[in-house]
Amino acid sequence: MMPDIFSSFDPYMYNTLFPTNSMFLMMNTLIILFIQSSFWVMSTRSSTFKTPIKETIFTQLTRTSTTQLKGLSTPLSAIFFILIIVNLMGLIPYTFSTSSHLIFTLTLGLPIWMSLIISSFSHNPKKSTAHFLPDGAPDWLNPFLVLIETTSVLVRPLTLSFRLAANMSAGHIVLSLMGIYCASAWFSSLTTTIFLTISAMGYILFEVAICLIQAYIFCLLLSLYSDDHAH
């Protein structure tokens, strides 16, 4: 039993099933297997599995301005696969959950956001600056609107990273609580133990869906940020 419910987020509290270096090595290997090009005439098992995931992310990218920005679709697709794998690996018992930490999520979201800002101002500085002032606003309201728009653009990487880390952390905390109470009720109440075990199994399935949805939302918001790029 862990000392508290937040011990699952401390890599030094216990020996993880996969050490941090091995975990990233496994993640890199899986990423290579997922995003590599298929040279086979007939579809393999890996291509059959990853084709629906590719179609899902590319369908979303075509709805935004991402396809008009050369080189943006590839990193977004790679980030989508990375988040799916890392989120699902965090559900393995006694495994260090990487995606529940802000340093990991901020590392993925901040470079893409910063590259969009730099690229937009480098391509068309006048239009990029004009984006901070909505059309049709009264003159006396313009300074406040510029301040609000600037703040909303600057906090985008923080809200994006906090959203993913908070959702992953909340799910792992609930799973930890269920495991602690289930272990405590093992020798006291058989009915409570069975109920908590069934609830934990159902919540694990729900958490798997959350892992997939949060990966999609993360890449969805990054693709929507490309609509503000000065074309």
Side-chain angles (χ1 to χ4, degrees), residues 15-170:
N15 294 325
T16 57
L17 182 62
F18 300 107
T20 306
N21 295 333
S22 301
M23 186 175 182
F24 276 103
L25 180 60
M26 179 179 294
M27 183 188 69
N28 294 332
T29 304
L30 292 175
I31 294 302
I32 294 175
L33 293 176
F34 268 103
I35 66 176
Q36 63 180 352
S37 301
S38 178
F39 298 100
W40 302 99
V41 177
M42 298 180 63
S43 60
T44 59
R45 292 183 179 179
S46 61
S47 62
T48 304
F49 175 74
K50 66 187 179 183
T51 297
I53 302 178
K54 282 185 176 180
E55 292 178 352
T56 301
I57 187 61
F58 277 113
T59 300
Q60 170 57 35
L61 296 181
T62 55
R63 297 174 182 172
T64 61
S65 302
T66 307
T67 54
Q68 301 179 15
L69 301 175
K70 297 181 179 180
L72 184 59
S73 300
T74 302
L76 286 183
S77 303
I79 289 175
F80 185 58
F81 281 107
I82 288 174
L83 289 179
I84 289 179
I85 295 172
V86 172
N87 291 343
L88 294 179
M89 289 180 67
L91 295 179
I92 301 176
Y94 300 102
T95 302
F96 178 66
S97 178
T98 309
S99 58
S100 60
H101 289 260
L102 186 61
I103 186 63
F104 176 79
T105 57
L106 194 62
T107 303
L108 293 179
L110 184 60
I112 301 295
W113 170 83
M114 183 64 69
S115 62
L116 288 174
I117 297 295
I118 296 176
S119 175
S120 179
F121 277 91
S122 300
H123 178 69
N124 195 335
K126 184 176 180 180
K127 189 175 181 180
S128 301
T129 306
H131 174 74
F132 292 95
L133 181 62
D135 297 333
D139 296 337
W140 62 272
L141 196 58
N142 287 341
F144 301 100
L145 292 178
V146 171
L147 181 61
I148 293 174
E149 288 293 330
T150 304
T151 304
S152 64
V153 171
L154 292 178
V155 300
R156 280 179 178 178
L158 294 178
T159 56
L160 183 68
S161 304
F162 270 109
R163 181 184 291 105
L164 177 60
N167 281 279
M168 292 297 101
S169 301

